[in-house]
Amino acid sequence: MKKVFFLTFLLSFTFTVKAQSFLSLDSCRALALANNKDLLISNEKINAAHYQRKAAFTNYLPNFSATGAYMRNQKEFSLLNNDQKAALSGLGTNLAVPFQQAAHEIVTAYPDLAPLISSLSGALPALDQAGNSLVDALRTDTRNVYAGAITLTQPLYMGGKIRAYNKITKYAEELAQEQHHGGMQEVIMSTDQAYWQVISLVNKKKLAEGYLKLLQQLDSDVEKMINEGVATKADGLSVRVKVNEAEMTLTKVEDGLSLARMLLCQLCGIDLSSPITLADENMEDIPLLTTDPHFDLSTAYENRPEIRSLELATQIYKQKVNVTHAEHLPSIALMGNYMVTNPSVFNSFENKFKGMWNVGVMVQIPIWHWGEGIYKTRAAKAEARIAQYQLQDAREKIELQVNQAAFKVKEAGKKLVMSSKNMEKAEENLRYATLGFKEGVIATSNVLEAQTAWLSAHSEKIDAQIDVKLTEIYLKKSLGTLK
């Protein structure tokens, strides 16, 4: 069972590796889009802008907060001074002498009241106790103070600041999305360039190998003719020089192809040493699509992420003007609290937690700031005008870019037609030169010239085909339709 599982895993792994090494243009694009770090960063910027927009909306809603505090005081607060405390503590004693004098006079005048006066005299010590109790009752005991509050704040009018800030965060999220879209187009274009560069070098490698075989065959024929005495050693040396040049050219093409594959692997997020095979490597002629060079500038203005980004930036700066202006307008907010304290003061001073609620309206009106608001508003308006000028400049540059891309599409099409005709003539010229050389009526130098012209014509045709592909991509990129 373990052997079967291991064999299945090995086969699936081998199939995966092979599938990963064979890449089409669409798969290269998909890998590049999935592994590009700049796109991953811009995607996180979209997430950040999205949550900032949600956070901005919460400013419309009431805000609740809780506060707690503890404070240890060195001394407690006193409602009575020291003289008042002493007077209350000795209230009975202080009244004893005046009371005895008054009682003596009353008893002398009214002897019948002697028992009453005697009972009142006995109550004087109780006044001392009552005074002491009153002093204790008036103690605040505020050395340990506890306080807590739950506060509700509801903005009623903030000069339009909250509404403007919500619009700014909405535009910022859309701006992040447009920048991500623009980054995707850049990655697709870079991937296509690297892909077709590899295809171009693959075909040039085949061409260099074919050219080297022709020269090697010619070298063999010339060597035989030298042995038979119908050719000179100079002819042989000329051919060998061309063979060495062809070998060097092939080496350069192979090195360039290796570097181009590494670049494509890096863009696709594949290990640089991974062997990859592209789907279009074995095509004799690269399939070309007929691109209409005619265009509508309104399409570019609608689809180009740069234009949309600058339009959003203009809207953001306009809202920043409103935010700056709102900072110097009156603001109104509804306030509500529930507060508790210990000691509490609602039933004299008690070491108990007791609280109360309150509701009110807070109004803040800026009166005079030496023109600060005017200067800041003017600065914000200047930034908004800068964004507007940048948008106009971008429109003009995009118009020029689109026209240049359309011109290059036409030019690439003409070059392809001309290179195809030149290749047909070069093949025919090489065929006649080869036949004439075998018949002995054409010199070796003429054959070498025909082979060089054949190589140049084939190379130019490959370059023209790749150029047509790339100019199609550039035109789509300039119109904002590259997907």
Side-chain angles (χ1 to χ4, degrees), residues 225-282:
M225 294 174 69
I226 291 174
N227 294 332
E228 294 177 0
V230 294
T232 65
K233 291 185 177 181
D235 294 332
L237 291 173
S238 298
V239 174
R240 290 191 188 96
V241 168
K242 288 293 183 179
V243 171
N244 291 334
E245 290 178 354
E247 290 175 347
M248 292 178 63
T249 300
L250 179 59
T251 301
K252 290 180 180 180
V253 172
E254 289 175 345
D255 292 341
L257 179 59
S258 298
L259 293 175
R261 289 185 189 276
M262 288 182 182
L263 175 60
L264 184 60
C265 287
Q266 188 270 329
L267 290 173
C268 295
I270 303 174
D271 186 72
L272 299 184
S273 60
S274 299
I276 59 173
T277 303
L278 304 185
D280 297 321
E281 286 187 10
N282 297 322

Short mmCIF file of all heavy atoms in Angstrom, two decimals, residues 225-282:
data_model
loop_
_atom_site.label_atom_id
_atom_site.label_comp_id
_atom_site.label_asym_id
_atom_site.label_seq_id
_atom_site.Cartn_x
_atom_site.Cartn_y
_atom_site.Cartn_z
N MET A 225 37.15 20.59 -52.69
CA MET A 225 37.57 21.27 -53.92
C MET A 225 39.03 21.67 -53.86
O MET A 225 39.74 21.67 -54.87
CB MET A 225 36.69 22.50 -54.15
CG MET A 225 35.23 22.14 -54.44
SD MET A 225 34.17 23.59 -54.54
CE MET A 225 34.76 24.33 -56.06
N ILE A 226 39.52 22.01 -52.62
CA ILE A 226 40.94 22.33 -52.48
C ILE A 226 41.78 21.09 -52.74
O ILE A 226 42.83 21.16 -53.41
CB ILE A 226 41.21 22.90 -51.07
CG1 ILE A 226 40.56 24.27 -50.93
CG2 ILE A 226 42.71 23.00 -50.81
CD1 ILE A 226 40.64 24.84 -49.53
N ASN A 227 41.31 19.97 -52.23
CA ASN A 227 42.05 18.73 -52.44
C ASN A 227 42.10 18.36 -53.93
O ASN A 227 43.06 17.74 -54.41
CB ASN A 227 41.41 17.59 -51.64
CG ASN A 227 41.56 17.82 -50.14
OD1 ASN A 227 42.51 18.47 -49.70
ND2 ASN A 227 40.63 17.27 -49.36
N GLU A 228 41.03 18.73 -54.69
CA GLU A 228 40.98 18.42 -56.12
C GLU A 228 41.65 19.51 -56.94
O GLU A 228 41.77 19.37 -58.18
CB GLU A 228 39.53 18.25 -56.57
CG GLU A 228 38.86 17.03 -55.94
CD GLU A 228 37.40 16.92 -56.34
OE1 GLU A 228 36.94 17.80 -57.11
OE2 GLU A 228 36.74 15.97 -55.88
N GLY A 229 42.03 20.62 -56.30
CA GLY A 229 42.74 21.68 -57.00
C GLY A 229 41.86 22.66 -57.71
O GLY A 229 42.37 23.46 -58.52
N VAL A 230 40.57 22.67 -57.44
CA VAL A 230 39.67 23.63 -58.11
C VAL A 230 39.32 24.80 -57.20
O VAL A 230 38.53 25.67 -57.58
CB VAL A 230 38.38 22.93 -58.57
CG1 VAL A 230 38.68 21.90 -59.64
CG2 VAL A 230 37.68 22.27 -57.37
N ALA A 231 39.90 24.84 -56.01
CA ALA A 231 39.69 25.96 -55.09
C ALA A 231 40.99 26.23 -54.37
O ALA A 231 41.86 25.36 -54.25
CB ALA A 231 38.59 25.65 -54.07
N THR A 232 41.12 27.48 -53.90
CA THR A 232 42.36 27.88 -53.25
C THR A 232 42.21 27.80 -51.73
O THR A 232 41.10 27.74 -51.19
CB THR A 232 42.72 29.32 -53.64
OG1 THR A 232 41.72 30.20 -53.14
CG2 THR A 232 42.83 29.46 -55.16
N LYS A 233 43.41 27.80 -51.07
CA LYS A 233 43.40 27.81 -49.60
C LYS A 233 42.78 29.10 -49.05
O LYS A 233 42.22 29.11 -47.95
CB LYS A 233 44.81 27.63 -49.07
CG LYS A 233 45.38 26.24 -49.32
CD LYS A 233 46.74 26.09 -48.66
CE LYS A 233 47.28 24.68 -48.84
NZ LYS A 233 48.61 24.50 -48.19
N ALA A 234 42.90 30.17 -49.83
CA ALA A 234 42.29 31.44 -49.39
C ALA A 234 40.78 31.29 -49.28
O ALA A 234 40.14 31.83 -48.35
CB ALA A 234 42.64 32.57 -50.35
N ASP A 235 40.19 30.55 -50.26
CA ASP A 235 38.75 30.31 -50.18
C ASP A 235 38.41 29.52 -48.91
O ASP A 235 37.41 29.80 -48.21
CB ASP A 235 38.28 29.54 -51.41
CG ASP A 235 38.41 30.36 -52.69
OD1 ASP A 235 38.34 31.61 -52.58
OD2 ASP A 235 38.58 29.77 -53.75
N GLY A 236 39.24 28.54 -48.58
CA GLY A 236 39.00 27.75 -47.38
C GLY A 236 39.12 28.57 -46.11
O GLY A 236 38.31 28.42 -45.18
N LEU A 237 40.13 29.44 -46.08
CA LEU A 237 40.29 30.29 -44.90
C LEU A 237 39.12 31.25 -44.74
O LEU A 237 38.65 31.51 -43.62
CB LEU A 237 41.60 31.07 -45.00
CG LEU A 237 42.88 30.24 -44.88
CD1 LEU A 237 44.10 31.09 -45.16
CD2 LEU A 237 42.98 29.62 -43.48
N SER A 238 38.60 31.79 -45.82
CA SER A 238 37.46 32.71 -45.76
C SER A 238 36.24 32.00 -45.18
O SER A 238 35.51 32.55 -44.34
CB SER A 238 37.15 33.25 -47.16
OG SER A 238 38.22 33.99 -47.67
N VAL A 239 36.04 30.75 -45.63
CA VAL A 239 34.89 30.00 -45.14
C VAL A 239 35.07 29.69 -43.66
O VAL A 239 34.12 29.78 -42.86
CB VAL A 239 34.69 28.72 -45.96
CG1 VAL A 239 33.59 27.85 -45.35
CG2 VAL A 239 34.37 29.04 -47.40
N ARG A 240 36.32 29.30 -43.25
CA ARG A 240 36.55 28.97 -41.84
C ARG A 240 36.35 30.18 -40.92
O ARG A 240 35.86 30.05 -39.79
CB ARG A 240 37.95 28.40 -41.66
CG ARG A 240 38.11 27.02 -42.28
CD ARG A 240 39.41 26.35 -41.86
NE ARG A 240 39.63 25.13 -42.62
CZ ARG A 240 40.38 25.05 -43.71
NH1 ARG A 240 41.00 26.14 -44.17
NH2 ARG A 240 40.53 23.91 -44.34
N VAL A 241 36.73 31.36 -41.41
CA VAL A 241 36.49 32.58 -40.63
C VAL A 241 34.99 32.78 -40.40
O VAL A 241 34.54 33.12 -39.30
CB VAL A 241 37.11 33.80 -41.34
CG1 VAL A 241 36.62 35.11 -40.70
CG2 VAL A 241 38.62 33.73 -41.28
N LYS A 242 34.22 32.57 -41.47
CA LYS A 242 32.77 32.70 -41.34
C LYS A 242 32.20 31.65 -40.39
O LYS A 242 31.25 31.91 -39.63
CB LYS A 242 32.11 32.57 -42.71
CG LYS A 242 32.33 33.75 -43.64
CD LYS A 242 31.63 34.99 -43.10
CE LYS A 242 31.77 36.16 -44.04
NZ LYS A 242 31.07 37.37 -43.54
N VAL A 243 32.79 30.43 -40.42
CA VAL A 243 32.33 29.38 -39.49
C VAL A 243 32.58 29.79 -38.05
O VAL A 243 31.71 29.63 -37.17
CB VAL A 243 33.02 28.04 -39.81
CG1 VAL A 243 32.71 27.01 -38.72
CG2 VAL A 243 32.56 27.51 -41.16
N ASN A 244 33.76 30.35 -37.79
CA ASN A 244 34.07 30.79 -36.42
C ASN A 244 33.14 31.91 -35.99
O ASN A 244 32.68 31.95 -34.84
CB ASN A 244 35.53 31.26 -36.36
CG ASN A 244 36.51 30.10 -36.51
OD1 ASN A 244 36.19 28.96 -36.19
ND2 ASN A 244 37.70 30.39 -36.99
N GLU A 245 32.87 32.83 -36.91
CA GLU A 245 31.95 33.93 -36.58
C GLU A 245 30.55 33.39 -36.28
O GLU A 245 29.87 33.87 -35.36
CB GLU A 245 31.90 34.93 -37.73
CG GLU A 245 33.18 35.73 -37.91
CD GLU A 245 33.09 36.68 -39.10
OE1 GLU A 245 32.07 36.61 -39.83
OE2 GLU A 245 34.02 37.47 -39.29
N ALA A 246 30.12 32.39 -37.06
CA ALA A 246 28.80 31.81 -36.83
C ALA A 246 28.75 31.10 -35.48
O ALA A 246 27.72 31.15 -34.78
CB ALA A 246 28.46 30.83 -37.96
N GLU A 247 29.84 30.42 -35.10
CA GLU A 247 29.87 29.76 -33.79
C GLU A 247 29.81 30.78 -32.65
O GLU A 247 29.12 30.56 -31.65
CB GLU A 247 31.14 28.92 -33.68
CG GLU A 247 31.12 27.67 -34.59
CD GLU A 247 32.44 26.93 -34.56
OE1 GLU A 247 33.43 27.50 -34.04
OE2 GLU A 247 32.48 25.78 -35.04
N MET A 248 30.53 31.89 -32.82
CA MET A 248 30.47 32.94 -31.80
C MET A 248 29.08 33.56 -31.72
O MET A 248 28.57 33.84 -30.62
CB MET A 248 31.51 34.03 -32.13
CG MET A 248 32.95 33.57 -31.97
SD MET A 248 34.14 34.86 -32.42
CE MET A 248 33.73 36.09 -31.20
N THR A 249 28.48 33.75 -32.88
CA THR A 249 27.11 34.29 -32.90
C THR A 249 26.14 33.35 -32.20
O THR A 249 25.27 33.79 -31.42
CB THR A 249 26.66 34.54 -34.35
OG1 THR A 249 27.56 35.46 -34.97
CG2 THR A 249 25.24 35.10 -34.38
N LEU A 250 26.29 32.05 -32.46
CA LEU A 250 25.43 31.07 -31.82
C LEU A 250 25.63 31.08 -30.30
O LEU A 250 24.65 31.00 -29.53
CB LEU A 250 25.71 29.67 -32.38
CG LEU A 250 24.90 28.52 -31.77
CD1 LEU A 250 23.40 28.75 -31.97
CD2 LEU A 250 25.33 27.19 -32.37
N THR A 251 26.87 31.21 -29.86
CA THR A 251 27.14 31.27 -28.42
C THR A 251 26.48 32.49 -27.79
O THR A 251 25.88 32.41 -26.70
CB THR A 251 28.65 31.30 -28.17
OG1 THR A 251 29.25 30.13 -28.74
CG2 THR A 251 28.95 31.36 -26.67
N LYS A 252 26.59 33.63 -28.47
CA LYS A 252 25.96 34.85 -27.94
C LYS A 252 24.44 34.70 -27.87
O LYS A 252 23.81 35.14 -26.90
CB LYS A 252 26.33 36.04 -28.83
CG LYS A 252 27.79 36.45 -28.73
CD LYS A 252 28.08 37.64 -29.64
CE LYS A 252 29.54 38.06 -29.55
NZ LYS A 252 29.84 39.20 -30.44
N VAL A 253 23.87 34.09 -28.90
CA VAL A 253 22.42 33.90 -28.90
C VAL A 253 22.01 32.97 -27.77
O VAL A 253 21.00 33.21 -27.08
CB VAL A 253 21.94 33.37 -30.26
CG1 VAL A 253 20.46 32.98 -30.20
CG2 VAL A 253 22.15 34.41 -31.34
N GLU A 254 22.76 31.90 -27.56
CA GLU A 254 22.44 30.96 -26.47
C GLU A 254 22.54 31.65 -25.11
O GLU A 254 21.68 31.45 -24.24
CB GLU A 254 23.37 29.76 -26.53
CG GLU A 254 23.08 28.83 -27.71
CD GLU A 254 24.10 27.72 -27.82
OE1 GLU A 254 25.17 27.83 -27.16
OE2 GLU A 254 23.84 26.73 -28.53
N ASP A 255 23.58 32.47 -24.91
CA ASP A 255 23.71 33.20 -23.64
C ASP A 255 22.56 34.18 -23.46
O ASP A 255 21.98 34.30 -22.37
CB ASP A 255 25.05 33.94 -23.60
CG ASP A 255 26.24 32.98 -23.54
OD1 ASP A 255 26.02 31.81 -23.17
OD2 ASP A 255 27.36 33.41 -23.86
N GLY A 256 22.23 34.90 -24.53
CA GLY A 256 21.10 35.83 -24.44
C GLY A 256 19.79 35.12 -24.17
O GLY A 256 18.95 35.63 -23.41
N LEU A 257 19.62 33.93 -24.77
CA LEU A 257 18.40 33.16 -24.53
C LEU A 257 18.31 32.71 -23.08
O LEU A 257 17.24 32.75 -22.46
CB LEU A 257 18.37 31.96 -25.48
CG LEU A 257 17.17 31.02 -25.34
CD1 LEU A 257 15.86 31.77 -25.57
CD2 LEU A 257 17.29 29.85 -26.32
N SER A 258 19.44 32.29 -22.51
CA SER A 258 19.45 31.87 -21.10
C SER A 258 19.07 33.03 -20.18
O SER A 258 18.26 32.87 -19.25
CB SER A 258 20.83 31.33 -20.71
OG SER A 258 21.16 30.19 -21.48
N LEU A 259 19.61 34.21 -20.46
CA LEU A 259 19.28 35.38 -19.64
C LEU A 259 17.82 35.78 -19.82
O LEU A 259 17.16 36.17 -18.85
CB LEU A 259 20.21 36.54 -20.01
CG LEU A 259 21.69 36.37 -19.66
CD1 LEU A 259 22.51 37.53 -20.20
CD2 LEU A 259 21.87 36.25 -18.15
N ALA A 260 17.32 35.68 -21.05
CA ALA A 260 15.91 36.03 -21.30
C ALA A 260 14.98 35.07 -20.58
O ALA A 260 13.94 35.48 -20.03
CB ALA A 260 15.63 36.03 -22.80
N ARG A 261 15.33 33.78 -20.55
CA ARG A 261 14.52 32.81 -19.81
C ARG A 261 14.55 33.12 -18.31
O ARG A 261 13.53 33.00 -17.62
CB ARG A 261 15.01 31.40 -20.07
CG ARG A 261 14.74 30.87 -21.47
CD ARG A 261 15.16 29.42 -21.57
NE ARG A 261 15.12 28.91 -22.93
CZ ARG A 261 14.04 28.44 -23.54
NH1 ARG A 261 12.89 28.42 -22.87
NH2 ARG A 261 14.08 28.00 -24.78
N MET A 262 15.71 33.50 -17.80
CA MET A 262 15.81 33.86 -16.39
C MET A 262 14.93 35.06 -16.06
O MET A 262 14.26 35.10 -15.03
CB MET A 262 17.26 34.17 -16.02
CG MET A 262 18.16 32.96 -15.97
SD MET A 262 19.85 33.41 -15.48
CE MET A 262 20.66 31.81 -15.59
N LEU A 263 14.93 36.05 -16.95
CA LEU A 263 14.09 37.23 -16.73
C LEU A 263 12.62 36.84 -16.71
O LEU A 263 11.86 37.30 -15.83
CB LEU A 263 14.35 38.27 -17.83
CG LEU A 263 13.46 39.51 -17.79
CD1 LEU A 263 13.61 40.27 -16.48
CD2 LEU A 263 13.75 40.42 -18.98
N LEU A 264 12.21 35.98 -17.64
CA LEU A 264 10.81 35.54 -17.66
C LEU A 264 10.48 34.74 -16.39
O LEU A 264 9.39 34.90 -15.82
CB LEU A 264 10.56 34.70 -18.91
CG LEU A 264 9.12 34.24 -19.13
CD1 LEU A 264 8.17 35.43 -19.23
CD2 LEU A 264 9.01 33.37 -20.38
N CYS A 265 11.41 33.90 -15.94
CA CYS A 265 11.18 33.14 -14.70
C CYS A 265 11.05 34.08 -13.51
O CYS A 265 10.19 33.88 -12.63
CB CYS A 265 12.33 32.17 -14.47
SG CYS A 265 12.35 30.74 -15.58
N GLN A 266 11.88 35.12 -13.47
CA GLN A 266 11.81 36.08 -12.37
C GLN A 266 10.47 36.80 -12.36
O GLN A 266 9.86 37.01 -11.31
CB GLN A 266 12.97 37.07 -12.50
CG GLN A 266 13.13 37.99 -11.30
CD GLN A 266 12.33 39.27 -11.43
OE1 GLN A 266 12.12 39.76 -12.54
NE2 GLN A 266 11.88 39.82 -10.31
N LEU A 267 9.99 37.19 -13.54
CA LEU A 267 8.69 37.87 -13.62
C LEU A 267 7.55 36.94 -13.21
O LEU A 267 6.57 37.39 -12.60
CB LEU A 267 8.46 38.38 -15.04
CG LEU A 267 9.34 39.55 -15.50
CD1 LEU A 267 9.11 39.84 -16.98
CD2 LEU A 267 9.05 40.80 -14.68
N CYS A 268 7.69 35.65 -13.53
CA CYS A 268 6.63 34.70 -13.22
C CYS A 268 6.74 34.12 -11.81
O CYS A 268 5.89 33.34 -11.39
CB CYS A 268 6.64 33.55 -14.22
SG CYS A 268 6.25 34.06 -15.91
N GLY A 269 7.79 34.48 -11.08
CA GLY A 269 7.96 33.96 -9.74
C GLY A 269 8.45 32.53 -9.70
O GLY A 269 8.20 31.81 -8.73
N ILE A 270 9.14 32.10 -10.76
CA ILE A 270 9.68 30.74 -10.85
C ILE A 270 11.17 30.79 -10.54
O ILE A 270 11.84 31.80 -10.80
CB ILE A 270 9.43 30.16 -12.26
CG1 ILE A 270 7.93 30.18 -12.59
CG2 ILE A 270 9.96 28.74 -12.38
CD1 ILE A 270 7.62 29.77 -14.00
N ASP A 271 11.69 29.69 -9.99
CA ASP A 271 13.12 29.63 -9.74
C ASP A 271 13.90 29.86 -11.03
O ASP A 271 13.56 29.31 -12.09
CB ASP A 271 13.48 28.26 -9.14
CG ASP A 271 14.94 28.20 -8.73
OD1 ASP A 271 15.29 28.85 -7.72
OD2 ASP A 271 15.72 27.53 -9.43
N LEU A 272 14.95 30.69 -10.95
CA LEU A 272 15.68 31.09 -12.16
C LEU A 272 16.32 29.91 -12.87
O LEU A 272 16.52 29.96 -14.10
CB LEU A 272 16.75 32.14 -11.80
CG LEU A 272 16.25 33.44 -11.17
CD1 LEU A 272 17.40 34.40 -10.95
CD2 LEU A 272 15.18 34.09 -12.04
N SER A 273 16.65 28.88 -12.14
CA SER A 273 17.31 27.72 -12.75
C SER A 273 16.32 26.70 -13.31
O SER A 273 16.74 25.68 -13.86
CB SER A 273 18.23 27.05 -11.73
OG SER A 273 17.47 26.61 -10.61
N SER A 274 15.02 26.98 -13.19
CA SER A 274 14.02 26.02 -13.67
C SER A 274 13.99 26.01 -15.20
O SER A 274 13.93 27.06 -15.83
CB SER A 274 12.63 26.39 -13.14
OG SER A 274 12.61 26.36 -11.73
N PRO A 275 14.03 24.82 -15.79
CA PRO A 275 13.92 24.75 -17.25
C PRO A 275 12.46 24.99 -17.68
O PRO A 275 11.55 24.34 -17.18
CB PRO A 275 14.37 23.32 -17.57
CG PRO A 275 14.07 22.55 -16.33
CD PRO A 275 14.23 23.50 -15.17
N ILE A 276 12.25 25.92 -18.55
CA ILE A 276 10.90 26.22 -19.02
C ILE A 276 10.85 26.12 -20.54
O ILE A 276 11.84 26.38 -21.23
CB ILE A 276 10.44 27.63 -18.58
CG1 ILE A 276 11.38 28.69 -19.11
CG2 ILE A 276 10.33 27.71 -17.07
CD1 ILE A 276 10.89 30.12 -18.87
N THR A 277 9.70 25.71 -21.02
CA THR A 277 9.45 25.63 -22.46
C THR A 277 8.20 26.43 -22.76
O THR A 277 7.17 26.25 -22.10
CB THR A 277 9.26 24.17 -22.90
OG1 THR A 277 10.41 23.41 -22.53
CG2 THR A 277 9.05 24.09 -24.41
N LEU A 278 8.29 27.30 -23.73
CA LEU A 278 7.16 28.16 -24.07
C LEU A 278 6.35 27.54 -25.19
O LEU A 278 6.86 26.83 -26.06
CB LEU A 278 7.65 29.55 -24.47
CG LEU A 278 8.52 30.27 -23.42
CD1 LEU A 278 8.85 31.68 -23.87
CD2 LEU A 278 7.83 30.29 -22.07
N ALA A 279 5.07 27.84 -25.18
CA ALA A 279 4.15 27.19 -26.12
C ALA A 279 4.43 27.59 -27.57
O ALA A 279 4.14 26.82 -28.49
CB ALA A 279 2.71 27.56 -25.76
N ASP A 280 4.98 28.77 -27.80
CA ASP A 280 5.18 29.28 -29.17
C ASP A 280 6.60 29.08 -29.68
O ASP A 280 6.96 29.65 -30.71
CB ASP A 280 4.83 30.77 -29.22
CG ASP A 280 3.37 31.03 -28.88
OD1 ASP A 280 2.53 30.23 -29.32
OD2 ASP A 280 3.08 32.02 -28.18
N GLU A 281 7.39 28.27 -28.98
CA GLU A 281 8.78 28.11 -29.40
C GLU A 281 8.92 27.37 -30.73
O GLU A 281 9.83 27.65 -31.50
CB GLU A 281 9.58 27.37 -28.33
CG GLU A 281 9.88 28.22 -27.10
CD GLU A 281 10.81 27.51 -26.14
OE1 GLU A 281 11.34 26.45 -26.51
OE2 GLU A 281 11.00 28.01 -25.01
N ASN A 282 8.03 26.41 -30.99
CA ASN A 282 8.18 25.55 -32.17
C ASN A 282 7.42 26.04 -33.39
O ASN A 282 7.34 25.33 -34.40
CB ASN A 282 7.74 24.12 -31.83
CG ASN A 282 8.61 23.50 -30.75
OD1 ASN A 282 9.82 23.71 -30.73
ND2 ASN A 282 8.00 22.73 -29.86
#
